Amino acid sequence: MVINKETLQLVKKRIPDSLDKLIMHDWWIYLCTSSFGKVVFDPEPYIWYRQHQNNVLGGSTDGWVSKWRKRLSRFAKGKNRYILSKQAQQFIQLYGQDMSPQMYKDMDQFLDSYQKGVFSRMKYIWQSPFYRQSRLDNWIYKLVFVLRKL
């Protein structure tokens, strides 16, 4: 990830008191940038991906089946449950006053719908403006939202 000075200042402007409500630092930076700036994906790699021996997530050389087995295991053990909803709450607390009215409305509806009953969550998630990048991840995101484990 490469960021410019404006992005750095935006992220530093309001640093969360507790990092336990954030998924990962790069997700938080992406959320800030995509909300208030522009994200540019460059398909050309310029450096090797730096990977640590004991990475918890990311950079894994596991196959598809192994990656999903680990994901399901983390979910079954309760790890990373509720982290997306906590991160959304943290983001709206810190940056809500800077959001456009539509962005604030979208985030508020997300958080409000998440607290409602299963049928309200089902109705909301099918018309939600939020999504994951891959089709499979998007279906899982919707399912986890409906189960209220997001």
Side-chain angles (χ1 to χ4, degrees):
M1 175 184 294
V2 176
I3 60 174
N4 61 20
K5 196 181 292 189
E6 290 81 10
T7 301
L8 178 61
Q9 293 307 314
L10 174 69
V11 173
K12 287 173 58 176
K13 183 177 179 180
R14 296 192 185 98
I15 296 174
D17 292 336
S18 173
L19 300 179
D20 67 332
K21 295 178 182 169
L22 305 186
I23 298 171
M24 288 180 266
H25 66 281
D26 50 352
W27 283 40
W28 183 258
I29 293 169
Y30 177 80
L31 184 57
C32 292
T33 305
S34 63
S35 296
F36 301 109
K38 183 178 179 183
V39 175
V40 178
F41 292 97
D42 187 346
E44 183 69 33
Y46 296 96
I47 61 172
W48 290 101
Y49 182 75
R50 188 173 60 139
Q51 186 172 321
H52 302 282
Q53 190 76 11
N54 297 319
N55 270 12
V56 175
L57 300 170
S60 175
T61 57
D62 294 344
W64 186 85
V65 172
S66 181
K67 282 182 186 180
W68 277 99
R69 189 176 301 139
K70 286 180 181 179
R71 273 184 169 184
L72 289 172
S73 175
R74 281 193 310 270
F75 182 77
K77 291 176 183 174
K79 294 184 179 187
N80 298 337
R81 281 191 195 166
Y82 315 113
I83 195 76
L84 280 172
S85 57
K86 286 179 184 177
Q87 181 166 277
Q89 289 170 337
Q90 182 71 59
F91 189 78
I92 206 167
Q93 280 179 333
L94 293 176
Y95 289 97
Q97 68 271 20
D98 296 332
M99 292 177 174
S100 70
Q102 184 62 51
M103 185 187 310
Y104 189 90
K105 180 182 172 195
D106 288 344
M107 290 282 287
D108 192 51
Q109 272 186 320
F110 171 85
L111 292 169
D112 185 55
S113 297
Y114 185 69
Q115 300 302 320
K116 292 186 176 179
V118 67
F119 293 112
S120 293
R121 290 193 307 271
M122 287 172 69
K123 180 181 175 189
Y124 168 80
I125 200 62
W126 295 113
Q127 49 90 33
S128 169
F130 304 112
Y131 60 92
R132 296 295 307 260
Q133 297 300 319
S134 77
R135 185 175 287 151
L136 180 59
D137 280 345
N138 203 42
W139 277 99
I140 292 169
Y141 155 71
K142 290 175 186 298
L143 175 65
V144 174
F145 184 90
V146 169
L147 294 174
R148 205 161 173 250
K149 302 291 185 192
L150 193 65

